[in-house]
PDB file of all heavy atoms in Angstrom:
ATOM      1  N   HIS A 359       9.187  -9.068 -26.015  1.00  0.00           N
ATOM      2  CA  HIS A 359      10.355  -9.573 -26.712  1.00  0.00           C
ATOM      3  C   HIS A 359      11.553  -9.646 -26.030  1.00  0.00           C
ATOM      4  O   HIS A 359      11.974  -8.687 -25.247  1.00  0.00           O
ATOM      5  CB  HIS A 359      10.559  -8.647 -27.990  1.00  0.00           C
ATOM      6  CG  HIS A 359       9.293  -8.427 -28.808  1.00  0.00           C
ATOM      7  ND1 HIS A 359       8.916  -9.384 -29.745  1.00  0.00           N
ATOM      8  CD2 HIS A 359       8.266  -7.539 -28.812  1.00  0.00           C
ATOM      9  CE1 HIS A 359       7.821  -8.969 -30.336  1.00  0.00           C
ATOM     10  NE2 HIS A 359       7.381  -7.928 -29.799  1.00  0.00           N
ATOM     11  N   LYS A 360      12.089 -10.747 -25.872  1.00  0.00           N
ATOM     12  CA  LYS A 360      13.371 -11.010 -25.023  1.00  0.00           C
ATOM     13  C   LYS A 360      14.699 -10.770 -25.989  1.00  0.00           C
ATOM     14  O   LYS A 360      14.603 -11.170 -27.045  1.00  0.00           O
ATOM     15  CB  LYS A 360      13.372 -12.437 -24.479  1.00  0.00           C
ATOM     16  CG  LYS A 360      12.182 -12.733 -23.560  1.00  0.00           C
ATOM     17  CD  LYS A 360      12.236 -14.242 -23.038  1.00  0.00           C
ATOM     18  CE  LYS A 360      11.053 -14.649 -22.295  1.00  0.00           C
ATOM     19  NZ  LYS A 360      11.026 -16.054 -21.817  1.00  0.00           N
ATOM     20  N   ALA A 361      15.603 -10.138 -25.190  1.00  0.00           N
ATOM     21  CA  ALA A 361      16.908  -9.961 -25.988  1.00  0.00           C
ATOM     22  C   ALA A 361      17.917 -10.018 -24.801  1.00  0.00           C
ATOM     23  O   ALA A 361      17.928  -9.450 -23.789  1.00  0.00           O
ATOM     24  CB  ALA A 361      16.913  -8.567 -26.531  1.00  0.00           C
ATOM     25  N   HIS A 362      19.051 -10.763 -25.341  1.00  0.00           N
ATOM     26  CA  HIS A 362      20.224 -11.013 -24.476  1.00  0.00           C
ATOM     27  C   HIS A 362      21.326  -9.974 -24.951  1.00  0.00           C
ATOM     28  O   HIS A 362      21.869 -10.185 -25.911  1.00  0.00           O
ATOM     29  CB  HIS A 362      20.787 -12.497 -24.561  1.00  0.00           C
ATOM     30  CG  HIS A 362      21.964 -12.685 -23.708  1.00  0.00           C
ATOM     31  ND1 HIS A 362      22.810 -13.798 -23.859  1.00  0.00           N
ATOM     32  CD2 HIS A 362      22.619 -11.945 -22.765  1.00  0.00           C
ATOM     33  CE1 HIS A 362      23.824 -13.753 -22.982  1.00  0.00           C
ATOM     34  NE2 HIS A 362      23.753 -12.599 -22.336  1.00  0.00           N
ATOM     35  N   ILE A 363      21.463  -8.928 -24.208  1.00  0.00           N
ATOM     36  CA  ILE A 363      22.443  -7.834 -24.592  1.00  0.00           C
ATOM     37  C   ILE A 363      23.339  -7.594 -23.446  1.00  0.00           C
ATOM     38  O   ILE A 363      23.001  -7.288 -22.446  1.00  0.00           O
ATOM     39  CB  ILE A 363      21.598  -6.545 -24.923  1.00  0.00           C
ATOM     40  CG1 ILE A 363      20.420  -6.776 -25.893  1.00  0.00           C
ATOM     41  CG2 ILE A 363      22.436  -5.448 -25.368  1.00  0.00           C
ATOM     42  CD1 ILE A 363      19.520  -5.537 -26.003  1.00  0.00           C
ATOM     43  N   ASP A 364      24.581  -7.741 -23.789  1.00  0.00           N
ATOM     44  CA  ASP A 364      25.757  -7.767 -22.933  1.00  0.00           C
ATOM     45  C   ASP A 364      25.447  -8.657 -21.721  1.00  0.00           C
ATOM     46  O   ASP A 364      25.156  -9.864 -21.957  1.00  0.00           O
ATOM     47  CB  ASP A 364      25.912  -6.205 -22.392  1.00  0.00           C
ATOM     48  CG  ASP A 364      26.362  -5.397 -23.619  1.00  0.00           C
ATOM     49  OD1 ASP A 364      26.967  -5.852 -24.524  1.00  0.00           O
ATOM     50  OD2 ASP A 364      25.946  -4.170 -23.507  1.00  0.00           O
ATOM     51  N   SER A 365      25.485  -8.184 -20.558  1.00  0.00           N
ATOM     52  CA  SER A 365      25.147  -9.141 -19.394  1.00  0.00           C
ATOM     53  C   SER A 365      23.664  -8.967 -18.844  1.00  0.00           C
ATOM     54  O   SER A 365      23.339  -9.560 -17.874  1.00  0.00           O
ATOM     55  CB  SER A 365      26.008  -8.608 -18.189  1.00  0.00           C
ATOM     56  OG  SER A 365      25.774  -7.331 -17.792  1.00  0.00           O
ATOM     57  N   TYR A 366      22.812  -8.399 -19.790  1.00  0.00           N
ATOM     58  CA  TYR A 366      21.472  -8.216 -19.369  1.00  0.00           C
ATOM     59  C   TYR A 366      20.429  -8.926 -20.164  1.00  0.00           C
ATOM     60  O   TYR A 366      20.609  -9.460 -21.222  1.00  0.00           O
ATOM     61  CB  TYR A 366      21.056  -6.767 -19.561  1.00  0.00           C
ATOM     62  CG  TYR A 366      21.686  -5.712 -18.593  1.00  0.00           C
ATOM     63  CD1 TYR A 366      22.838  -5.069 -19.020  1.00  0.00           C
ATOM     64  CD2 TYR A 366      21.224  -5.584 -17.316  1.00  0.00           C
ATOM     65  CE1 TYR A 366      23.490  -4.148 -18.103  1.00  0.00           C
ATOM     66  CE2 TYR A 366      21.953  -4.713 -16.401  1.00  0.00           C
ATOM     67  CZ  TYR A 366      23.120  -4.013 -16.894  1.00  0.00           C
ATOM     68  OH  TYR A 366      23.699  -3.175 -16.015  1.00  0.00           O
ATOM     69  N   LEU A 367      19.293  -9.261 -19.542  1.00  0.00           N
ATOM     70  CA  LEU A 367      18.177  -9.922 -20.217  1.00  0.00           C
ATOM     71  C   LEU A 367      17.090  -8.801 -20.337  1.00  0.00           C
ATOM     72  O   LEU A 367      16.455  -8.487 -19.353  1.00  0.00           O
ATOM     73  CB  LEU A 367      17.550 -11.155 -19.434  1.00  0.00           C
ATOM     74  CG  LEU A 367      16.246 -11.667 -19.836  1.00  0.00           C
ATOM     75  CD1 LEU A 367      16.411 -12.337 -21.268  1.00  0.00           C
ATOM     76  CD2 LEU A 367      15.777 -12.862 -18.888  1.00  0.00           C
ATOM     77  N   LEU A 368      16.871  -8.363 -21.481  1.00  0.00           N
ATOM     78  CA  LEU A 368      15.941  -7.172 -21.738  1.00  0.00           C
ATOM     79  C   LEU A 368      14.635  -7.704 -22.207  1.00  0.00           C
ATOM     80  O   LEU A 368      14.525  -8.589 -23.137  1.00  0.00           O
ATOM     81  CB  LEU A 368      16.495  -6.303 -22.764  1.00  0.00           C
ATOM     82  CG  LEU A 368      15.896  -4.862 -22.980  1.00  0.00           C
ATOM     83  CD1 LEU A 368      16.291  -4.042 -21.760  1.00  0.00           C
ATOM     84  CD2 LEU A 368      16.279  -4.289 -24.248  1.00  0.00           C
ATOM     85  N   ASN A 369      13.529  -7.363 -21.596  1.00  0.00           N
ATOM     86  CA  ASN A 369      12.058  -7.706 -22.008  1.00  0.00           C
ATOM     87  C   ASN A 369      11.322  -6.509 -22.222  1.00  0.00           C
ATOM     88  O   ASN A 369      11.299  -5.670 -21.398  1.00  0.00           O
ATOM     89  CB  ASN A 369      11.498  -8.513 -20.840  1.00  0.00           C
ATOM     90  CG  ASN A 369      12.133  -9.793 -20.426  1.00  0.00           C
ATOM     91  OD1 ASN A 369      11.893 -10.770 -20.816  1.00  0.00           O
ATOM     92  ND2 ASN A 369      13.350  -9.533 -19.540  1.00  0.00           N
ATOM     93  N   THR A 370      10.831  -6.384 -23.464  1.00  0.00           N
ATOM     94  CA  THR A 370      10.160  -5.141 -23.847  1.00  0.00           C
ATOM     95  C   THR A 370       8.877  -5.377 -24.703  1.00  0.00           C
ATOM     96  O   THR A 370       9.123  -6.465 -25.552  1.00  0.00           O
ATOM     97  CB  THR A 370      11.077  -4.222 -24.518  1.00  0.00           C
ATOM     98  OG1 THR A 370      10.418  -3.041 -25.053  1.00  0.00           O
ATOM     99  CG2 THR A 370      11.850  -4.766 -25.722  1.00  0.00           C
ATOM    100  N   THR A 371       8.026  -4.534 -24.704  1.00  0.00           N
ATOM    101  CA  THR A 371       6.822  -4.610 -25.606  1.00  0.00           C
ATOM    102  C   THR A 371       7.164  -4.089 -26.922  1.00  0.00           C
ATOM    103  O   THR A 371       6.356  -4.304 -27.890  1.00  0.00           O
ATOM    104  CB  THR A 371       5.587  -3.756 -25.049  1.00  0.00           C
ATOM    105  OG1 THR A 371       6.066  -2.426 -24.742  1.00  0.00           O
ATOM    106  CG2 THR A 371       5.075  -4.418 -23.683  1.00  0.00           C
ATOM    107  N   SER A 372       8.375  -3.493 -27.094  1.00  0.00           N
ATOM    108  CA  SER A 372       8.724  -3.022 -28.458  1.00  0.00           C
ATOM    109  C   SER A 372       9.541  -4.232 -29.185  1.00  0.00           C
ATOM    110  O   SER A 372      10.326  -4.788 -28.534  1.00  0.00           O
ATOM    111  CB  SER A 372       9.597  -1.677 -28.285  1.00  0.00           C
ATOM    112  OG  SER A 372      10.108  -1.366 -29.557  1.00  0.00           O
ATOM    113  N   GLU A 373       9.412  -4.042 -30.433  1.00  0.00           N
ATOM    114  CA  GLU A 373      10.067  -5.200 -31.279  1.00  0.00           C
ATOM    115  C   GLU A 373      11.628  -4.754 -31.474  1.00  0.00           C
ATOM    116  O   GLU A 373      12.416  -5.474 -31.829  1.00  0.00           O
ATOM    117  CB  GLU A 373       9.431  -5.344 -32.582  1.00  0.00           C
ATOM    118  CG  GLU A 373       8.050  -6.029 -32.521  1.00  0.00           C
ATOM    119  CD  GLU A 373       7.535  -6.212 -33.940  1.00  0.00           C
ATOM    120  OE1 GLU A 373       8.218  -5.898 -34.972  1.00  0.00           O
ATOM    121  OE2 GLU A 373       6.412  -6.728 -34.040  1.00  0.00           O
ATOM    122  N   ARG A 374      11.853  -3.478 -31.183  1.00  0.00           N
ATOM    123  CA  ARG A 374      13.208  -2.897 -31.347  1.00  0.00           C
ATOM    124  C   ARG A 374      13.869  -2.880 -30.032  1.00  0.00           C
ATOM    125  O   ARG A 374      13.461  -2.412 -29.017  1.00  0.00           O
ATOM    126  CB  ARG A 374      13.142  -1.454 -31.935  1.00  0.00           C
ATOM    127  CG  ARG A 374      12.405  -1.387 -33.347  1.00  0.00           C
ATOM    128  CD  ARG A 374      12.254  -0.057 -33.785  1.00  0.00           C
ATOM    129  NE  ARG A 374      13.556   0.670 -34.081  1.00  0.00           N
ATOM    130  CZ  ARG A 374      13.669   1.802 -34.449  1.00  0.00           C
ATOM    131  NH1 ARG A 374      12.616   2.655 -34.648  1.00  0.00           N
ATOM    132  NH2 ARG A 374      14.813   2.357 -34.703  1.00  0.00           N
ATOM    133  N   SER A 375      15.196  -3.451 -29.976  1.00  0.00           N
ATOM    134  CA  SER A 375      16.033  -3.412 -28.845  1.00  0.00           C
ATOM    135  C   SER A 375      17.420  -2.731 -29.191  1.00  0.00           C
ATOM    136  O   SER A 375      17.746  -2.862 -30.302  1.00  0.00           O
ATOM    137  CB  SER A 375      16.215  -4.917 -28.385  1.00  0.00           C
ATOM    138  OG  SER A 375      15.046  -5.489 -28.002  1.00  0.00           O
ATOM    139  N   PRO A 376      18.081  -2.182 -28.231  1.00  0.00           N
ATOM    140  CA  PRO A 376      19.275  -1.500 -28.496  1.00  0.00           C
ATOM    141  C   PRO A 376      20.351  -2.594 -28.786  1.00  0.00           C
ATOM    142  O   PRO A 376      20.257  -3.752 -28.360  1.00  0.00           O
ATOM    143  CB  PRO A 376      19.567  -0.769 -27.265  1.00  0.00           C
ATOM    144  CG  PRO A 376      18.786  -1.501 -26.133  1.00  0.00           C
ATOM    145  CD  PRO A 376      17.569  -2.023 -26.686  1.00  0.00           C
ATOM    146  N   ASP A 377      21.418  -2.234 -29.483  1.00  0.00           N
ATOM    147  CA  ASP A 377      22.486  -3.066 -29.793  1.00  0.00           C
ATOM    148  C   ASP A 377      23.397  -3.271 -28.468  1.00  0.00           C
ATOM    149  O   ASP A 377      24.037  -4.329 -28.288  1.00  0.00           O
ATOM    150  CB  ASP A 377      23.307  -2.501 -30.900  1.00  0.00           C
ATOM    151  CG  ASP A 377      22.589  -2.704 -32.142  1.00  0.00           C
ATOM    152  OD1 ASP A 377      21.659  -3.524 -32.363  1.00  0.00           O
ATOM    153  OD2 ASP A 377      22.749  -1.778 -33.102  1.00  0.00           O
ATOM    154  N   ARG A 378      23.545  -2.112 -27.765  1.00  0.00           N
ATOM    155  CA  ARG A 378      24.402  -2.104 -26.579  1.00  0.00           C
ATOM    156  C   ARG A 378      23.665  -1.509 -25.477  1.00  0.00           C
ATOM    157  O   ARG A 378      22.782  -0.742 -25.656  1.00  0.00           O
ATOM    158  CB  ARG A 378      25.743  -1.354 -26.874  1.00  0.00           C
ATOM    159  CG  ARG A 378      26.523  -1.863 -28.048  1.00  0.00           C
ATOM    160  CD  ARG A 378      27.264  -3.068 -27.690  1.00  0.00           C
ATOM    161  NE  ARG A 378      28.311  -2.796 -26.645  1.00  0.00           N
ATOM    162  CZ  ARG A 378      29.017  -3.793 -25.997  1.00  0.00           C
ATOM    163  NH1 ARG A 378      28.823  -5.126 -26.501  1.00  0.00           N
ATOM    164  NH2 ARG A 378      29.941  -3.507 -25.164  1.00  0.00           N
ATOM    165  N   ILE A 379      24.067  -1.889 -24.169  1.00  0.00           N
ATOM    166  CA  ILE A 379      23.592  -1.290 -22.935  1.00  0.00           C
ATOM    167  C   ILE A 379      24.686  -0.658 -22.233  1.00  0.00           C
ATOM    168  O   ILE A 379      25.744  -1.267 -21.973  1.00  0.00           O
ATOM    169  CB  ILE A 379      22.793  -2.330 -22.112  1.00  0.00           C
ATOM    170  CG1 ILE A 379      21.547  -2.728 -22.909  1.00  0.00           C
ATOM    171  CG2 ILE A 379      22.509  -1.760 -20.755  1.00  0.00           C
ATOM    172  CD1 ILE A 379      20.808  -3.874 -22.104  1.00  0.00           C
TER     173      ILE A 379
END
Side-chain angles (χ1 to χ4, degrees):
H359 304 278
K360 300 179 184 180
H362 180 191
I363 306 172
D364 300 329
S365 62
Y366 293 98
L367 171 63
L368 196 74
N369 302 262
T370 172
T371 52
S372 173
E373 293 183 1
R374 301 174 63 182
S375 298
D377 296 326
R378 302 285 296 175
I379 290 179

